[in-house]
Amino acid sequence: MRNYNSLEKVFEQDGFIYIKEFMSSQEMDELEMHVLRFIQDIVPTLSNKEAMYEDYKIQETLKQIGNLEVYEPFFADLLSRPKFVGLAEVLLQDAVIPQFAQYFSKPPGIGKPTPPHQDGYYFCLVPNEALTVWIPLDDMDEENGALHYVKGSHKHGVLPHAASHVLGFSQGIKEGRKTELGEEVTCQVQRGDCLIHH
């Protein structure tokens, strides 16, 4: 396992970090194989709360799957792998309890942008100490859904959110607050890289 201790200060200061080539090509091939199999075999059996579509009549508009680990042992194992747990423990400086694996897709030409939000608003943890590990299956840039962060915004606690009317992201940070929080950064990443945010 890599030494991630040098990233702890950056994570504490900015609230997010970027790790290039976090997953090997072989690991990514394995992950994608299980994701595709999950979509083919398990998604058709899931409720509209667990598998969300931009248009439920069009299979290609699958947008989000929650709790993959409940239905497929591979994802439960993935969550508990030392490379994920060890990294999380370094960044949070505490023991961690892996929670859930999710799949997100941004079908082209349909749907709304993801609203600015804090995952902690949805998690409702007390204390609100958690992180999200995000691994792209495709290269991501401004054209196809790069993530944006506001440096240091995690230090402001959970901010007021309001209804966004976006499927899968029902709440977004109230307008007017985002510009007060700090510098916005666009993270362009490649398949197998890793973004971690508080």
Side-chain angles (χ1 to χ4, degrees):
M1 190 175 78
R2 296 185 202 176
N3 184 345
Y4 293 115
N5 291 314
S6 61
L7 297 175
E8 178 197 340
K9 287 185 179 178
V10 176
F11 183 74
E12 185 179 335
Q13 175 182 306
D14 294 344
F16 67 95
I17 57 169
Y18 165 58
I19 302 174
K20 190 160 180 60
E21 299 175 349
F22 179 74
M23 301 283 278
S24 69
S25 295
Q26 182 179 355
E27 288 174 316
M28 288 306 298
D29 289 345
E30 178 188 32
L31 175 58
E32 186 165 23
M33 178 190 72
H34 282 279
V35 167
L36 293 174
R37 186 182 300 160
F38 192 101
I39 290 170
Q40 178 182 321
D41 297 342
I42 299 176
V43 166
T45 70
L46 300 179
S47 72
N48 290 353
K49 288 185 178 181
E50 284 300 308
M52 299 181 195
Y53 294 80
E54 292 288 0
D55 184 336
Y56 284 91
K57 297 174 187 169
I58 304 174
Q59 197 171 21
E60 292 76 24
T61 66
L62 179 66
K63 178 177 182 176
Q64 184 174 337
I65 311 168
N67 300 305
L68 285 83
E69 77 288 349
V70 171
Y71 307 97
E72 171 56 56
F74 169 81
F75 294 103
D77 173 69
L78 187 70
L79 283 174
S80 62
R81 288 185 184 177
K83 85 182 304 173
F84 292 99
V85 173
L87 171 60
E89 288 178 342
V90 166
L91 296 179
L92 291 176
Q93 289 297 291
D94 204 349
V96 299
I97 303 170
Q99 294 293 306
F100 52 84
Q102 291 184 301
Y103 168 85
F104 293 95
S105 180
K106 297 187 178 183
I110 189 171
K112 298 177 181 177
T114 301
H117 66 279
Q118 294 172 304
D119 288 354
Y121 182 87
Y122 294 97
F123 293 167
C124 302
L125 296 174
V126 179
N128 193 3
E129 288 295 323
L131 55 75
T132 297
V133 178
W134 190 86
I135 298 169
L137 294 173
D138 300 301
D139 296 351
M140 304 294 289
D141 58 26
E142 285 277 28
E143 295 298 315
N144 70 341
L147 268 67
H148 299 252
Y149 295 112
V150 175
K151 283 187 175 182
S153 58
H154 63 300
K155 295 178 181 177
H156 297 274
V158 178
L159 300 170
H161 285 58
S164 68
H165 309 290
V166 174
L167 179 69
F169 292 95
S170 62
Q171 301 290 315
I173 293 174
K174 286 187 177 179
E175 286 299 321
R177 286 301 311 263
K178 300 181 291 293
T179 55
E180 304 168 15
L181 299 176
E183 175 191 355
E184 183 177 333
V185 177
T186 302
C187 293
Q188 301 191 53
V189 295
Q190 295 181 316
R191 172 184 167 91
D193 292 348
C194 182
L195 286 169
I196 303 101
H197 55 262
H198 192 284

